[in-house]
Amino acid sequence: MSESFDWNYPGLDWSHFHSLANLLSLRNGGQAEPSSISDTVLEEDWEPDGNEDGATPSMDTRLADQISDSGHGRLKRKFLDCLAEFAANKKGGTAVACSAMKEAEGNVVIWIARNEGFSEVDKPAFDKLGEVLGSLSCNSANQSETLLWEDMVSYHQNRIEHSYIPNLRVSFKAYDAVRRRNDTNTPENSSASDATLSALRTLLFDRNINGTSTLEKHMRLVIASYNLRRTRNMEEALYSSPSATSRSKSLWLDICLLARLRVAFHNFKDIALTLPSFEHVTIILVPRPLAPANPSQKPLNLNQTFGLLQLDLGPATTKAVLGQNWTVAKIEREFAKRQKQKPHVHAEVQMLMSLNTNEASTSGLFPYFGCSKLCCFMCNRFIQSYGRFTTRGCHGRLFKPWTVPSVGRLLPGQADRTAKALILVQKEVKKKLKASVEGYIPHERTSVIGGSSILGGRQEERSQRQLQIDRLRMKAERDRVAEMFRRQTEDTASPTRLTYSTPEGDEPEWDCDICMRPTTRRCNICSKGYFCSDSCQEKRSGRHLFTCSKRPLTSADYLWESLAKDLMPQDEDVLEDFGFNNVLSGGDRSNLLGVYGGLYLSGKFSPEDIHEWRVGGILVDKIKEFYYAIPENCRGQYFPWLLKNLYVLERPMTKDEAQQKMIATFYDKAKPYLDIEDRDKTARELKPEARGASYALLAETLLRITPNPVETNWYSFGFVTCRGQGEESMLVDLYQLLLTESDGSFFYEFHNRRRGVVQPATFTQFWKAYEAGTLIQLMDSKGLKELRSRLPFLEGFLSVPPAGPRPSVWDLKQFLEIGEPMEHPPIPSVNVDYGFINCRTFEETCILMEIYGAVLKTANPLALHQACVAGDLFQFARGYVRMEERWRSLMKNFYPLEDSGVGAGPELRSEVGPEADEDSAGSPSLLSRLWGFIGGFSN
């Protein structure tokens, strides 16, 4: 039986509700509160620094527990927001749109509402959009992508031509005028920024580029803006740097607004290719409800409205409620005008009420409304009070009179739920009005750019901000101590740069940084490096680029730095810009690095070339051009791999997107190794614990991923014993050969020639050997003794069951590798054995970390452990690092101790394993000895 909602519900009064809302809309220009982002969006967008990779990619697989809930929620939220932005193809509040979706097996139903509603010309456009998305999902065809892009730009042509382009031209002219006038080194006159902007400027002001059509010109403009939007240096130069001006910020925002259409295109394509349900897409345009009928009640005047707040109308009360700039006469005039205005039904309200009349939407609805702008204060409070749905956030403002229309044919219970939600909204409005005016709240932008809000209000609680500040302070302290040690190491260990004697009075000659010829010519940009000619200076790379004060760094520079060191890139922008986030396995990442390595080793290209190719959208073409010029039999294996996997360079993938993709597919390759009834379980759900840990390692091995040092598996499976990324990669090879069958690749062919054709261990054999501490014997039985013997500390480590005991030096090494003493402090045995218990300040903790880090770069870890047991840590470290006497007290421990005859409890047993020599083989850790002395355990 259907129901109806109207304003006669007990506790609701049309005049009271709208009078109070209209009064609040006059305070502070309608800014009722600072802007905010929903908790869901905050959780998704919070990105602490650093979780990147080494020679083989590393991932914190604790996230694997999310795999059972891999419903692509974030992708759906982004899709709905982008779809609402796409539907808003006109400027202004009338075009604000809202979207919702319901997903079933093999089909998706999508609803779109818009403030002004839709006309007859809109329906064919969205019918076609649904068809193209379905075609793209079924066929993954490039033709569908092209058609989707053309249709999207065509639908927005009017806004591009009459809003985006004029605004962008005005911003460019203002920006250029300031740049010409200003001679100082600001973003406006930065030659690098100007060069990067030149492509967009040309497209924008040249009205007859090669006779191209208007649609083609618009497509090129949007793509050029999108490429600029993704350039971090441009964002910093124009918007976020302290020297950015109002002109440069305005230009950046206009670029981002135009780029939104391309952001939406990539999101549409991603969701169609990711979710099988998009094979059939139905888009329903929500009809705009009829204008609300005029209420029978007479509107309240200002005095009556103040009476609802139990306040007397007067000068003091008016200023308290509305602010110091209001007088009674002024507020009476403005309030009377507002009371006569026709109320509006916003898109979010249209959507909610429409869904409440639709039987098909009673279940399966995705609990999120996509919005083309942040919600207004009233819509936000109404949706929150109603429950069930969230949005991207709220800009905190009230606009023209807001209302909910009378609606019939509601589903059972929805009229009551709607009325109760409105009562809660009215209470919130009264609460806002009665609260003391805290001062001016800046007006917030209502628009959003590319899925992230431009907000001026608080987005996080103070505790979160304080935590981040503490992190930054501690990182700065660690960096300071590290720099002190670096300088000290350079003073004592680095070779002196070669200089050449010259006649007295002449400037000494130095080696050219590129060709090593003697020269006195310095870098003409920063005067800090030596280059014998302009040609050599153009080839500058490596450390020099990171000290060259006037050369803006790009992600290509960081890529070049990684190639020079022959290491997998770790910079977040490199991973996104150059396709590394698009591949999951370590082997594929190595192949991609090899492709760029060919460019680097040729010596023909500079980071500037690579950056220009990427920004210009011609990176793939230039790579092909280079490799096709090489005889086919000399191209190696990396370029053929790229030709089969060109998708990796089609569209950059952010760290979040890569992580979500990893979570969704992490166990896919490992599932067949389990019994059928266990294949839907995560590692933590498998019992016993050794089986679950082995399953997680198997999944990582199949993806060629090294465990992250924060993981237990990085320690338990022996990665902690490896001396650098090269040995960690070798250990991954070892586990891959032990657990997997040959796929005919060169990797297996090379290793199997040495060990013969051997069947891999079964998963059950593997996890039981791990649990029993017999992995070494299992490796040897599979012909892997020669390979595992290259890792000198592995045998002693893996010959002990996971629970130990092992020398505490391995715990020290894990603590240093994690490198986050605030979030991951040293465990008790490390704290006591290696002197961290003596540290009274964070600086002293950092000093010890630097000392042990420097020592372990070259020293035998077990030798360091023996020095610990002997109570001689300071003297031992002196053999590897120039020590200061004041550090001696930090490195004191209570070793050597006489045997007290007191046993250790199970959780504090000896940490000295078979790797140590006979003198210390029976020594319990210092922590257990101390515990015994103070009566912790007794026999």
Side-chain angles (χ1 to χ4, degrees):
M1 181 177 178
S2 63
E3 300 177 350
S4 296
F5 164 78
D6 59 39
W7 286 85
N8 295 319
Y9 187 90
L12 269 185
D13 185 288
W14 167 283
S15 294
H16 290 186
F17 183 95
H18 292 87
S19 297
L20 291 168
N22 287 339
L23 184 61
L24 183 59
S25 71
L26 293 172
R27 187 169 78 178
N28 190 32
Q31 191 73 49
E33 63 183 7
S35 55
S36 61
I37 296 179
S38 70
D39 292 341
T40 301
V41 176
L42 276 177
E43 290 169 7
E44 290 171 353
D45 290 345
W46 176 250
E47 296 184 358
D49 292 336
N51 69 338
E52 303 303 346
D53 314 333
T56 52
S58 174
M59 174 190 173
D60 184 354
T61 50
R62 293 173 299 178
L63 293 170
D65 295 318
Q66 302 174 30
I67 291 173
S68 60
D69 184 27
S70 56
H72 302 284
R74 185 174 188 273
L75 180 62
K76 294 174 187 176
R77 282 186 282 270
K78 289 180 67 177
F79 167 72
L80 289 173
D81 284 330
C82 286
L83 181 61
E85 291 173 1
F86 173 71
N89 66 337
K90 299 177 184 177
K91 184 179 180 181
T94 59
V96 171
C98 175
S99 61
M101 68 182 284
K102 176 182 178 179
E103 186 182 14
E105 185 174 353
N107 70 86
V108 170
V109 180
I110 297 169
W111 291 266
I112 307 176
R114 196 162 64 184
N115 278 3
E116 66 175 3
F118 296 95
S119 66
E120 290 300 321
V121 299
D122 292 305
K123 190 176 188 307
F126 284 98
D127 287 343
K128 190 173 182 181
L129 175 63
E131 293 174 4
V132 175
L133 289 174
S135 174
L136 187 62
S137 179
C138 294
N139 305 320
S140 302
N142 289 332
Q143 184 178 359
S144 297
E145 291 184 24
T146 303
L147 187 59
L148 173 64
W149 178 231
E150 289 177 350
D151 288 346
M152 290 179 69
V153 176
S154 179
Y155 188 65
H156 271 253
Q157 272 195 273
N158 184 66
R159 186 168 187 181
I160 292 173
E161 187 67 30
H162 297 101
S163 177
Y164 291 144
I165 290 178
N167 291 345
L168 197 51
R169 283 175 177 161
V170 170
S171 294
F172 254 115
K173 290 176 181 178
Y175 169 85
D176 289 339
V178 174
R179 182 177 56 84
R180 286 191 296 267
R181 289 198 308 266
N182 200 338
D183 293 328
T184 61
N185 185 28
T186 65
E188 280 78 10
N189 66 13
S190 168
S191 58
S193 299
D194 188 54
T196 309
L197 288 168
S198 61
L200 179 60
R201 184 187 283 107
T202 301
L203 288 170
L204 195 61
F205 289 99
D206 190 341
R207 300 178 183 272
N208 296 296
I209 302 177
N210 299 326
T212 55
S213 66
T214 301
L215 178 62
E216 177 65 23
K217 178 183 176 182
H218 288 175
M219 289 192 294
R220 292 169 65 181
L221 271 171
V222 176
I223 291 173
S225 298
Y226 174 77
N227 289 335
L228 283 171
R229 178 185 177 273
R230 294 189 55 260
T231 305
R232 182 176 66 177
N233 288 334
M234 286 302 304
E235 190 272 341
E236 291 176 352
L238 295 178
Y239 190 81
S240 61
S241 69
S243 54
T245 68
S246 60
R247 304 294 189 189
S248 65
K249 289 181 179 180
S250 177
L251 175 60
W252 177 252
L253 294 180
D254 284 334
I255 290 171
C256 290
L257 283 169
L258 184 55
R260 287 197 308 180
L261 196 59
R262 190 67 176 178
V263 175
F265 164 74
H266 285 303
N267 193 268
F268 289 2
K269 187 177 73 169
D270 284 350
I271 200 165
L273 295 176
T274 301
L275 301 185
S277 55
F278 268 71
E279 290 182 1
H280 187 269
V281 180
T282 302
I283 299 179
I284 299 173
L285 302 183
V286 175
R288 183 186 182 189
L290 296 175
N294 292 327
S296 57
Q297 306 100 318
K298 185 178 180 181
L300 301 186
N301 60 33
L302 184 63
N303 189 52
Q304 292 170 322
T305 305
F306 266 68
L308 296 177
L309 300 172
Q310 297 179 331
L311 297 173
D312 294 327
L313 178 62
T317 314
T318 299
K319 293 182 184 298
V321 173
L322 298 172
Q324 296 297 315
N325 294 327
W326 288 99
T327 63
V328 174
K330 182 180 177 182
I331 190 60
E332 283 180 333
R333 288 195 304 272
E334 295 300 322
F335 183 71
K337 291 179 184 178
R338 192 62 56 97
Q339 290 285 75
K340 294 177 182 179
Q341 292 178 352
K342 181 180 178 180
H344 292 265
V345 182
H346 289 193
E348 297 94 322
V349 177
Q350 294 179 35
M351 177 67 72
L352 186 58
M353 302 309 290
S354 175
L355 293 177
N356 286 339
T357 64
N358 192 332
E359 186 71 36
S361 68
T362 55
S363 62
L365 269 175
F366 185 62
Y368 185 84
F369 283 168
C371 298
S372 60
K373 293 178 178 286
L374 297 176
C375 292
C376 73
F377 173 84
M378 297 298 287
C379 283
N380 177 258
R381 288 301 192 272
F382 180 54
I383 293 171
Q384 284 183 354
S385 300
Y386 179 87
R388 190 179 181 187
F389 299 101
T390 59
T391 66
R392 74 202 314 179
C394 172
H395 56 67
R397 297 179 69 183
L398 283 77
F399 290 113
K400 292 181 179 179
W402 179 97
T403 194
V404 172
S406 298
V407 180
R409 302 188 307 278
L410 288 173
L411 299 173
Q414 297 307 312
D416 182 71
R417 187 170 182 175
T418 301
K420 288 180 178 178
L422 288 170
I423 291 172
L424 291 175
V425 173
Q426 180 170 319
K427 289 180 179 179
E428 186 68 20
V429 171
K430 291 178 72 173
K431 180 180 176 182
K432 288 287 182 185
L433 285 168
K434 295 181 74 171
S436 298
V437 180
E438 296 179 355
Y440 178 72
I441 304 174
H443 287 195
E444 303 290 358
R445 294 182 179 272
T446 63
S447 64
V448 287
I449 290 181
S452 61
S453 306
I454 303 175
L455 298 175
R458 292 188 302 177
Q459 300 177 19
E460 304 166 38
E461 295 298 326
R462 172 176 167 79
S463 58
Q464 291 177 304
R465 294 203 309 271
Q466 190 60 48
L467 180 62
Q468 182 68 354
I469 291 170
D470 291 343
R471 286 190 183 120
L472 292 173
R473 284 175 177 168
M474 291 188 175
K475 183 180 183 301
E477 183 66 11
R478 282 218 62 194
D479 291 345
R480 185 187 67 79
V481 175
E483 178 66 14
M484 177 185 70
F485 271 82
R486 185 188 67 80
R487 291 177 179 175
Q488 178 176 293
T489 303
E490 287 183 349
D491 291 343
T492 58
S494 297
T496 304
R497 183 169 182 157
L498 183 60
T499 61
Y500 298 88
S501 59
T502 59
E504 187 175 353
D506 289 351
E507 182 180 354
E509 293 185 329
W510 302 76
D511 280 343
C512 173
D513 285 354
I514 302 300
C515 68
M516 305 303 292
R517 293 193 186 101
T519 183
T520 59
R521 183 184 182 279
R522 294 176 180 265
C523 173
N524 59 23
I525 295 178
C526 67
S527 299
K528 293 181 180 178
Y530 288 87
F531 303 95
C532 66
S533 63
D534 289 337
S535 175
C536 280
Q537 183 174 310
E538 288 176 0
K539 299 175 183 177
R540 65 197 186 282
S541 61
R543 175 180 289 186
H544 179 78
L545 281 180
F546 296 87
T547 61
C548 200
S549 58
K550 296 183 181 179
R551 162 69 159 81
L553 294 175
T554 67
S555 56
D557 294 320
Y558 289 93
L559 172 64
W560 236 235
E561 181 187 36
S562 298
L563 292 168
K565 296 177 180 179
D566 194 25
L567 295 175
M568 190 63 63
Q570 298 185 16
D571 181 78
E572 188 175 314
D573 285 343
V574 175
L575 298 176
E576 179 178 341
D577 290 347
F578 291 98
F580 291 94
N581 281 343
N582 288 1
V583 288
L584 296 180
S585 74
D588 285 343
R589 283 195 167 192
S590 296
N591 286 332
L592 183 57
L593 187 67
V595 171
Y596 294 122
L599 302 176
Y600 172 79
L601 293 173
S602 73
K604 296 179 180 179
F605 310 109
S606 67
E608 292 96 325
D609 297 325
I610 307 302
H611 175 68
E612 290 176 4
W613 297 351
R614 184 189 67 78
V615 173
I618 57 173
L619 179 62
V620 174
D621 294 336
K622 287 294 186 179
I623 292 174
K624 289 181 178 178
E625 180 183 310
F626 168 71
Y627 279 101
Y628 281 143
I630 301 172
E632 187 173 357
N633 61 344
C634 299
R635 292 174 189 164
Q637 62 179 342
Y638 301 126
F639 181 61
W641 171 87
L642 179 66
L643 293 179
K644 297 177 182 177
N645 297 275
L646 287 174
Y647 73 91
V648 304
L649 297 181
E650 283 183 0
R651 185 187 77 84
M653 183 181 291
T654 66
K655 180 177 69 176
D656 279 349
E657 292 169 336
Q659 192 174 74
Q660 289 298 320
K661 185 177 180 180
M662 175 70 78
I663 291 171
T665 61
F666 182 71
Y667 288 126
D668 286 358
K669 290 185 177 181
K671 286 179 180 179
Y673 288 77
L674 295 180
D675 297 330
I676 294 177
E677 62 270 18
D678 290 332
R679 289 180 182 175
D680 290 331
K681 294 180 180 179
T682 63
R684 290 191 180 182
E685 294 170 333
L686 293 176
K687 301 299 178 185
E689 187 176 335
R691 187 168 174 239
S694 298
Y695 183 50
L697 180 79
L698 172 64
E700 291 171 316
T701 299
L702 292 171
L703 291 173
R704 295 284 306 167
I705 293 174
T706 303
N708 191 296
V710 300
E711 296 178 60
T712 302
N713 277 5
W714 187 83
Y715 180 92
S716 299
F717 285 95
F719 291 92
V720 69
T721 68
C722 295
R723 298 167 297 183
Q725 297 169 348
E727 288 193 356
E728 288 191 22
S729 296
M730 191 184 302
L731 187 52
V732 173
D733 292 345
L734 188 60
Y735 286 125
Q736 184 174 346
L737 292 167
L738 180 62
L739 284 163
T740 64
E741 292 185 353
S742 171
D743 60 3
S745 65
F746 175 77
F747 171 80
Y748 289 97
E749 182 183 338
F750 173 80
H751 286 286
N752 287 343
R753 281 202 303 264
R754 300 185 175 193
R755 64 172 183 151
V757 179
V758 180
Q759 282 295 109
T762 66
F763 177 66
T764 300
Q765 287 176 324
F766 180 79
W767 75 258
K768 287 188 175 181
Y770 165 66
E771 186 178 48
T774 58
L775 272 178
I776 293 297
Q777 292 92 314
L778 183 62
M779 292 175 183
D780 291 354
S781 72
K782 299 299 180 180
L784 296 171
K785 182 174 183 178
E786 188 275 333
L787 180 60
R788 64 92 176 160
S789 296
R790 299 182 196 175
L791 305 172
F793 306 110
L794 189 65
E795 179 176 357
F797 189 90
L798 291 182
S799 297
V800 180
R806 293 187 174 104
S808 58
V809 70
W810 300 124
D811 298 296
L812 170 68
K813 193 165 183 287
Q814 184 178 31
F815 166 66
L816 297 175
E817 284 289 333
I818 295 172
E820 295 289 346
M822 182 176 74
E823 296 184 21
H824 301 279
I827 64 173
S829 59
V830 173
N831 214 19
V832 176
D833 285 4
Y834 292 93
F836 289 94
I837 197 172
N838 301 321
C839 297
R840 294 166 296 177
T841 65
F842 185 70
E843 178 186 9
E844 291 178 342
T845 298
C846 293
I847 288 172
L848 279 187
M849 292 176 70
E850 291 297 328
I851 291 173
Y852 291 126
V855 168
L856 286 172
K857 284 181 180 179
T858 52
N860 183 321
L862 297 179
L864 175 60
H865 185 71
Q866 293 307 309
C868 167
V869 172
D872 201 19
L873 285 171
F874 182 83
Q875 194 62 33
F876 183 84
R878 181 173 269 172
Y880 298 90
V881 180
R882 192 172 75 180
M883 301 290 288
E884 296 184 15
E885 188 61 30
R886 63 190 177 97
W887 298 337
R888 183 185 294 274
S889 61
L890 294 181
M891 304 182 75
K892 283 184 177 180
N893 59 25
F894 295 92
Y895 282 134
L897 294 175
E898 295 296 329
D899 190 0
S900 65
V902 181
E907 72 274 23
L908 296 172
R909 290 189 187 281
S910 168
E911 300 188 9
V912 181
E915 299 95 329
D917 61 22
E918 290 184 3
D919 291 338
S920 62
S923 302
S925 73
L926 174 57
L927 186 62
S928 64
R929 301 286 294 277
L930 288 176
W931 197 262
F933 281 145
I934 63 174
F937 298 95
S938 60
N939 289 326

